[in-house]
Amino acid sequence: MGFSIKKTFVLAALATISCVNAVSLEFSKNGVLRKEGDCNITFINFGMDKWIKNLNITKSENSLSIEGLVNGNIGPNSKIHTKETELRSIITIKQGDNDITDFEISNISETAGTMNIKINNITTCENLSLKQGFIEETVIVANRLYYYGNIPSPKINKSFARNLFGPSYNYPFERVHWKINDGLDDLRETCGIHILYYGNAPVTSNGRHWQYYLSVENANTESCDKNKFFDVIKNNFKDYHFTEELLGSNYLGYVLKREGHEEEHMDGIIDGNKYLIEMYQNSCGGQSNSRSICVIPSQDKLSFNAFTDKLIHECLKMNNVEGEWEVTNGVATGTFNDQILTVETSKVDGKGSLTNDEIIYESVASGSTPVARFVISFACKDGTFMDDKCQCKTCPANCLSCTSDEKCDICNEISTNVNNKCECIEGYEPDKYGVCGKQCVEGFIKVDGECIKQCRDNEELVGKECQCISGYVEVEGECVPECKKNEELVGKECKCIEGYAADENGICIKQCGNNEEADDDQCKCIEGYAADENGVCVKQCGKNEELEGGECVCKEGYAVTEKSNRVCVKICGENEELDENSDGDLCKCKEGYAANENGACTLLCGDKEELVEGVCQCKDSYIAEVDGNCVKKCGTNEQLNGEECQCKEGYAANENGECIKQCGENKELDGEECKCIEGYTTDENDNCVIKCGNKEVLVDGVCQCKDGYIAELDGTCVRKCSENEVADGDDCKCKEGYVADVDGTCVKKCGNNEELVDDLCQCKTGYIYSEDGICTKISPPTTTITTTIHGGDKPCCKCGCGCKIQPYFGWFRFFNWGIHYDYRKVFECDKNRNCKKFFNCGKDKQCTNFFDTCHKKGNCVKQFDKKFFNGCHKFTGCKNFFDCHRQHTFCSNLKCKEKNCKQCGCNAKTTSIKTTLIKKTTTKKTTTKKTNTKKTTTNKKTTTIKKTTTTTTTSKPTATYGGSLLDRIYYILFH
């Protein structure tokens, strides 16, 4: 009962869908998988390539149709199977592990060699497989021999000329039978090789059949070589032994195929063959004269004697026969007991010949194996017959003429033919060989048809006489045992003479004493013993042994050890072992030991070791590692590098050779730790950088004021204030003499009756300065006012400690007609308000040039290019002092700032400019009186320069600010 697969589908379109997707094939041990869209089917024994690709497969809701399948049962053994019932029995359809039996076979075409299969009640192609078997379970195969020593290349799946195959023109070898179903399965499962159909042969006298190839060129997914392929083929022959008898064990078939012939055939070679002899024989019985009976391959040309030897024993398998050969006119004749053999060149194509010395070979095609073809015939002598292999055999006993060993035609005179067999007549009887002879009286037996006396015990028939068998002699007409040396006959038995006894072999030997053995009628000491002075055999002791109580014992100082093979050897001392090159009486120190001055074996220490109380210890300045090796003992902060100690990474040797830690830039060693030098601190990378003030930041290794701060001349960072402001802690306030206006801007603080005009205080309109510098109301018509301008030509002092200043003559300016001198500070105040040289740049340092300025970090700054020297970092600021040319200004944070002389202490200086208001008259006469007065008061640290200019003009009185134009410019520039 079959198994059907059913499944319900809901189709939204046509009931039948044709597979029109691209088709691909995959070959494996399971078969040929045809992949087309979602319909993948495995085919087995339906061919390869186009025979699978070109199938027309359609599926509907509940069925699957396959059109154009190869019917491999067209033609095996020249039989054609086209009945649907026959083919159903060899078609297997499976889906997974389930068998499908609900299918139909139609359109079975003998001409096309194809058929169609429709599978019913199936809804999917998943895990579907079709396998074709063969009704003819075995196919007839003729094995053919390719006339070349190597397999054809590059292709073997093709036809070859018939004359390239042998050893005859008519498929000479015995037909054998190949199990096609088992063989195809074995090839597929072992090698992944599938049958390759390549065409349907046309109708001929041999009938229609499929042509196919089986070889390693067919897929071969497991990469089987030709030897593996032939093993699989050979194992599936039912009767391959026929081929092996004809072609030998070195035959290698490389393709099994069906072409245009009646049967399949196997093409093969004799592997390694270089020369070939083909043997045929004249027809006899069922033997065809065109069929070879054997081939004789060889690596070298055969001599005539080698050829006849292989012919008789290997080809004809005639054993235990002797014959004589002679060659006359190229024909060899061999005479044997029962027959005469004749060997001559085949008359079919006349290839090859023979002489008394050698076989002459010829090639059947260019480059092919040299061949010699001979025909053998048999002539049987009387009393023999020719068997089905055309060889002569002896007729049965008592038969003079026969046609087989089962049928005698003529019996001899003392036998009669009964049912084609010869039986003895009355008065005669068969011997053990079945030969008839006369019957003999009691006490006689028949030998070769003649009655002779029957031999007694211990006798045998020699010719027609009875004689004693070997080992017996006749004594008084009776065969008795022949006694050997040292034996005597006692009754009918041989026994040892006195003083002798039989050994395990029954030989009488002399009886010897203890530890003796017989040696040709003499006694001698057995091995390991020797005769002493009394002739007694005592144990013979070996080297280093002595006899004690009849036994050999080791001498004092010697003993038998496990390795001495029961030989006494010297007892070695501590740390000693036996010298194998001695005779067991010499000791040597064990490996790793050496003899000291006293001859004792002590431990052999290395060159860095010394022996201490029997133990190797490292020498001073060395230390043992984990593996026991002595290495140099390194000091603190040292490590071993090869054989020498070196400072560890980050350490270096000082002048005493001690490894001390190496500190980086701006670091110094404090005990075992590296710390930053004074004035430096560590950053996030553990580098020592300059320690900046709380109002400074480090930029590119230089301390700079934070945003919102600015450096003063001494480098101190103060709050960066606007013009006319000064720092007050972290805030800004108007500097002395200034006050914040309504906008918060610091402007000059003017006195009573003064107003600010262009950043200068001057008397309000209607007011004029008095000699005391106070704005008083103008009393017309003429008033002279002296204006005192604070500041003057000399710089202000910060500390108010009374430090002196001196003029600086390094440069000058031209104003009007005079030379103006600038003044620089030479001294400044220290923290105790004592004067110190302004140019002292710290301990043991001093700026060498008067023009240079000290920086707070202890370096000097060039005044002209503002560059540091003596290790200073580059300083950027005012390019030169000309950039700050106005008196009472200095360069701070790259900008020029004005000092407020009103805040100065002892170094303050007041310049008075006396201006006289002019009363103009109408007269043209002008009188000018110029007075220059310069006054310096050292004790009060005050310098006063007084300039008075009086101009009288007769004119209408007008109140104006007096003073020459140069004085006005001077005031504006240097105030």
Side-chain angles (χ1 to χ4, degrees):
M1 184 175 183
F3 177 84
S4 299
I5 298 178
K6 295 184 178 180
K7 189 174 181 181
T8 302
F9 277 78
V10 177
L11 298 177
L14 298 175
T16 301
I17 302 174
S18 176
C19 297
V20 295
N21 298 288
V23 177
S24 63
L25 303 181
E26 290 183 6
F27 299 91
S28 70
K29 293 181 178 183
N30 299 321
V32 181
L33 177 62
R34 183 183 188 274
K35 303 174 74 172
E36 182 180 12
D38 61 351
C39 192
N40 302 330
I41 306 175
T42 299
F43 294 91
I44 303 170
N45 297 338
F46 287 98
M48 299 167 54
D49 303 333
K50 65 178 182 179
W51 304 110
I52 305 297
K53 273 191 174 183
N54 294 342
L55 292 174
N56 184 21
I57 301 177
T58 57
K59 60 180 179 179
S60 62
E61 182 177 359
N62 292 309
S63 65
L64 179 73
S65 296
I66 306 173
E67 299 177 356
L69 285 164
V70 168
N71 178 12
N73 285 276
I74 300 290
N77 299 334
S78 298
K79 296 179 181 179
I80 299 175
H81 299 279
T82 58
K83 293 182 179 180
E84 194 265 349
T85 54
E86 289 182 308
L87 297 178
R88 280 187 66 87
S89 66
I90 50 86
I91 298 294
T92 303
I93 302 177
K94 283 180 170 290
Q95 191 156 41
D97 296 329
N98 301 318
D99 291 327
I100 296 178
T101 59
D102 189 3
F103 65 90
E104 304 167 16
I105 303 176
S106 62
N107 292 84
I108 305 171
S109 171
E110 178 182 344
T111 303
T114 59
M115 59 185 171
N116 299 341
I117 293 179
K118 180 182 179 183
I119 305 173
N120 299 316
N121 296 318
I122 187 171
T123 57
T124 177
C125 299
E126 185 178 0
N127 295 325
L128 185 64
S129 66
L130 283 77
K131 179 180 179 181
Q132 175 176 219
F134 293 86
I135 298 171
E136 300 292 325
E137 293 188 356
T138 61
V139 292
I140 301 170
V141 178
N143 290 293
R144 302 201 315 181
L145 180 62
Y146 185 56
Y147 273 138
Y148 288 83
N150 297 312
I151 295 172
S153 66
K155 285 186 64 64
I156 54 179
N157 284 351
K158 67 176 185 177
S159 298
F160 294 91
R162 181 178 293 182
N163 67 336
L164 299 181
F165 291 85
S168 81
Y169 56 87
N170 193 24
Y171 303 108
F173 298 131
E174 189 75 46
R175 269 65 171 166
V176 289
H177 299 81
W178 193 62
K179 297 178 287 185
I180 188 168
N181 288 316
D182 293 342
L184 288 175
D185 286 346
D186 201 355
L187 268 180
R188 185 183 70 256
E189 293 168 4
T190 303
C191 298
I193 291 176
H194 307 269
I195 188 168
L196 172 63
Y197 294 106
Y198 69 95
N200 195 355
V203 178
T204 65
S205 59
N206 296 327
R208 183 182 295 280
H209 63 266
W210 273 103
Q211 302 177 90
Y212 65 81
Y213 292 113
L214 286 169
S215 76
V216 295
E217 292 181 359
N218 299 11
N220 195 6
T221 60
E222 302 304 309
S223 302
C224 286
D225 60 16
K226 297 177 178 65
N227 290 293
K228 182 65 175 177
F229 164 79
F230 185 54
D231 284 343
V232 176
I233 293 290
K234 187 166 59 174
N235 291 338
N236 288 282
F237 277 111
K238 289 182 65 175
D239 41 15
Y240 183 76
H241 64 278
F242 288 119
T243 300
E244 199 158 55
E245 288 174 3
L246 296 169
L247 298 176
S249 59
N250 288 334
Y251 179 72
L252 174 64
Y254 54 84
V255 60
L256 179 62
K257 59 186 178 180
R258 178 80 185 273
E259 292 179 320
H261 308 293
E262 181 178 354
E263 69 279 290
E264 285 80 0
H265 55 273
M266 170 69 74
D267 292 347
I269 62 170
I270 297 178
D271 198 17
N273 170 57
K274 292 185 178 178
Y275 295 91
L276 186 68
I277 297 175
E278 300 174 2
M279 294 304 303
Y280 302 88
Q281 63 186 33
N282 289 328
S283 59
C284 61
Q287 180 71 50
S288 168
N289 62 356
S290 64
R291 177 169 293 174
S292 174
I293 59 171
C294 70
V295 296
I296 304 174
S298 61
Q299 283 285 327
D300 303 301
K301 293 180 179 180
L302 295 180
S303 66
F304 177 76
N305 290 335
F307 160 66
T308 57
D309 183 68
K310 287 180 176 290
L311 174 65
I312 296 300
H313 297 103
E314 297 179 12
C315 182
L316 300 179
K317 294 181 172 54
M318 295 169 55
N319 298 317
N320 301 319
V321 296
E322 295 182 0
E324 294 182 357
W325 290 91
E326 65 176 352
V327 178
T328 305
N329 297 326
V331 178
T333 303
T335 303
F336 296 84
N337 291 334
D338 296 329
Q339 56 198 339
I340 299 173
L341 276 62
T342 303
V343 179
E344 57 186 330
T345 303
S346 172
K347 294 181 175 56
V348 175
D349 59 5
K351 294 291 183 184
S353 59
L354 51 81
T355 69
N356 279 317
D357 300 320
E358 63 179 349
I359 304 299
I360 299 172
Y361 299 82
E362 299 179 45
S363 295
V364 297
S366 176
S368 67
T369 300
V371 174
R373 292 184 177 135
F374 298 124
V375 176
I376 185 171
S377 57
F378 300 83
C380 297
K381 295 181 179 180
D382 292 342
T384 64
F385 69 94
M386 184 171 289
D387 64 8
D388 59 352
K389 292 188 177 181
C390 302
Q391 296 187 27
C392 297
K393 298 295 178 68
T394 302
C395 289
N398 307 312
C399 182
L400 299 178
S401 177
C402 63
T403 55
S404 71
D405 55 1
E406 296 294 331
K407 184 179 180 182
C408 182
D409 295 328
I410 303 173
C411 295
N412 61 17
E413 69 278 3
I414 58 175
S415 64
T416 182
N417 194 319
V418 179
N419 296 327
N420 296 322
K421 291 186 178 182
C422 297
E423 295 183 359
C424 298
I425 61 175
E426 188 177 354
Y428 289 84
E429 61 183 0
D431 61 11
K432 60 181 180 180
Y433 302 109
V435 178
C436 294
K438 288 182 179 182
Q439 292 178 340
C440 300
V441 297
E442 187 177 354
F444 287 82
I445 60 173
K446 183 165 290 191
V447 178
D448 295 334
E450 185 178 353
C451 292
I452 62 172
K453 185 179 179 180
Q454 188 174 8
C455 297
R456 295 172 294 181
D457 291 340
N458 303 322
E459 292 180 340
E460 64 181 355
L461 190 65
V462 180
K464 295 181 179 182
E465 299 288 338
C466 289
Q467 295 180 1
C468 293
I469 62 175
S470 178
Y472 286 78
V473 294
E474 187 175 356
V475 177
E476 297 177 357
E478 187 177 1
C479 291
V480 296
E482 182 180 10
C483 295
K484 300 175 184 177
K485 185 179 179 181
N486 301 322
E487 292 179 338
E488 60 184 357
L489 190 63
V490 178
K492 291 184 179 182
E493 294 182 3
C494 292
K495 293 185 177 182
C496 294
I497 62 177
E498 187 177 359
Y500 288 80
D503 62 8
E504 62 273 9
N505 299 317
I507 300 173
C508 293
I509 60 174
K510 191 173 180 65
Q511 290 291 96
C512 298
N514 292 334
N515 303 322
E516 294 180 336
E517 63 183 358
D519 181 20
D520 194 20
D521 293 339
Q522 298 293 326
C523 289
K524 67 175 183 179
C525 294
I526 62 176
E527 186 176 0
Y529 287 79
D532 62 8
E533 61 275 8
N534 300 318
V536 179
C537 290
V538 296
K539 199 160 189 177
Q540 188 175 19
C541 298
K543 186 177 181 181
N544 303 325
E545 293 180 333
E546 59 186 4
L547 197 63
E548 185 178 300
E551 295 293 332
C552 291
V553 296
C554 294
K555 295 179 180 178
E556 186 177 359
Y558 290 82
V560 175
T561 66
E562 293 180 358
K563 298 181 179 179
S564 65
N565 194 22
R566 292 178 292 181
V567 175
C568 293
V569 295
K570 191 172 183 65
I571 299 174
C572 295
E574 186 180 5
N575 302 325
E576 293 181 335
E577 62 184 1
L578 197 65
D579 190 344
E580 295 177 354
N581 297 320
S582 69
D583 292 332
D585 54 3
L586 183 62
C587 293
K588 66 177 182 180
C589 291
K590 291 181 180 179
E591 185 176 358
Y593 290 82
N596 62 16
E597 62 275 5
N598 299 320
C601 291
T602 57
L603 202 59
L604 187 62
C605 299
D607 56 350
K608 301 171 185 175
E609 298 175 320
E610 59 186 0
L611 195 64
V612 179
E613 296 181 357
V615 179
C616 288
Q617 295 183 357
C618 295
K619 294 179 180 179
D620 290 342
S621 76
Y622 287 87
I623 189 171
E625 290 187 318
V626 176
D627 59 2
N629 291 329
C630 291
V631 296
K632 192 91 169 177
K633 185 176 182 181
C634 297
T636 305
N637 301 324
E638 291 182 332
Q639 63 184 10
L640 195 64
N641 184 7
E643 294 290 327
E644 297 298 329
C645 291
Q646 293 183 355
C647 291
K648 292 180 181 178
E649 186 176 358
Y651 290 81
N654 61 13
E655 62 274 6
N656 299 322
E658 299 171 337
C659 291
I660 59 173
K661 195 162 187 177
Q662 290 294 291
C663 298
E665 186 179 5
N666 301 321
K667 292 183 179 181
E668 62 185 1
L669 194 63
D670 183 9
E672 285 296 320
E673 296 295 328
C674 286
K675 294 185 177 179
C676 294
I677 61 177
E678 186 177 358
Y680 285 78
T681 185
T682 54
D683 62 8
E684 65 275 7
N685 298 319
D686 200 34
N687 296 321
C688 287
V689 296
I690 294 175
K691 186 174 182 179
C692 299
N694 57 356
K695 300 175 183 178
E696 295 176 320
V697 292
L698 192 67
V699 179
D700 295 332
V702 178
C703 290
Q704 294 185 5
C705 293
K706 294 180 180 178
D707 289 342
Y709 291 85
I710 190 168
E712 293 193 325
L713 279 177
D714 61 355
T716 302
C717 291
V718 296
R719 173 64 71 179
K720 183 178 180 181
C721 297
S722 301
E723 188 176 7
N724 302 324
E725 292 181 335
V726 293
D728 182 16
D730 276 343
D731 292 323
C732 290
K733 67 178 181 179
C734 292
K735 63 185 180 181
E736 187 177 353
Y738 285 80
V739 66
D741 65 7
V742 293
D743 298 327
T745 303
C746 291
V747 296
K748 281 188 176 182
K749 183 179 182 181
C750 297
N752 293 331
N753 302 319
E754 287 183 325
E755 63 182 354
L756 193 66
V757 179
D758 294 331
D759 200 32
L760 293 176
C761 289
Q762 65 182 31
C763 292
K764 296 179 180 179
T765 303
Y767 289 82
I768 193 170
Y769 287 105
S770 66
E771 290 182 358
D772 299 325
I774 299 173
C775 287
T776 58
K777 201 163 187 174
I778 298 175
S779 299
T782 301
T783 303
T784 299
I785 300 297
T786 300
T787 300
T788 301
I789 301 174
H790 300 281
D793 295 333
K794 295 181 182 179
C796 295
C797 176
K798 285 186 176 182
C799 57
C801 61
C803 294
K804 296 180 179 181
I805 61 172
Q806 68 182 37
Y808 167 50
F809 301 100
W811 59 277
F812 55 88
R813 299 181 210 156
F814 292 95
F815 291 107
N816 200 5
W817 53 87
I819 296 176
H820 174 77
Y821 296 99
D822 196 4
Y823 289 80
R824 290 293 175 90
K825 183 168 53 175
V826 180
F827 298 94
E828 65 178 0
C829 299
D830 60 17
K831 62 182 180 179
N832 297 318
R833 302 184 63 80
N834 295 319
C835 289
K836 66 176 182 179
K837 257 194 123 173
F838 181 72
F839 298 101
N840 183 11
C841 294
K843 184 179 179 180
D844 299 327
K845 293 183 181 179
Q846 181 173 321
C847 296
T848 56
N849 195 320
F850 180 76
F851 304 127
D852 300 329
T853 304
C854 288
H855 187 264
K856 75 171 184 176
K857 296 301 182 183
N859 298 78
C860 295
V861 183
K862 291 286 186 182
Q863 283 298 329
F864 290 98
D865 53 14
K866 300 299 181 184
K867 291 182 180 178
F868 288 93
F869 64 96
N870 290 343
C872 292
H873 298 284
K874 183 178 179 182
F875 176 77
T876 57
C878 307
K879 293 181 181 179
N880 53 58
F881 62 89
F882 289 105
D883 295 337
C884 299
H885 61 278
R886 291 182 62 189
Q887 193 175 3
H888 315 310
T889 60
F890 64 95
C891 183
S892 174
N893 202 19
L894 309 183
K895 294 181 181 181
C896 294
K897 296 294 182 178
E898 182 179 6
K899 295 181 179 179
N900 189 344
C901 290
K902 291 183 179 181
Q903 296 177 358
C904 286
C906 59
N907 289 334
K909 168 253 157 184
T910 300
T911 300
S912 297
I913 299 177
K914 188 176 181 180
T915 303
T916 302
L917 290 178
I918 308 299
K919 180 181 178 181
K920 294 184 179 180
T921 60
T922 57
T923 62
K924 298 294 183 179
K925 182 178 179 180
T926 300
T927 303
T928 300
K929 181 181 179 182
K930 180 180 288 186
T931 304
N932 292 325
T933 303
K934 183 174 183 180
K935 181 181 179 183
T936 301
T937 304
T938 302
N939 294 333
K940 294 182 180 181
K941 303 296 186 298
T942 301
T943 301
T944 302
I945 299 176
K946 185 177 180 181
K947 293 183 180 180
T948 302
T949 302
T950 302
T951 303
T952 302
T953 304
T954 303
S955 176
K956 184 179 179 179
T958 302
T960 62
Y961 180 78
S964 67
L965 177 61
L966 286 177
D967 284 337
R968 291 280 295 173
I969 294 174
Y970 180 86
Y971 175 82
I972 293 172
L973 288 175
F974 298 105
H975 182 67

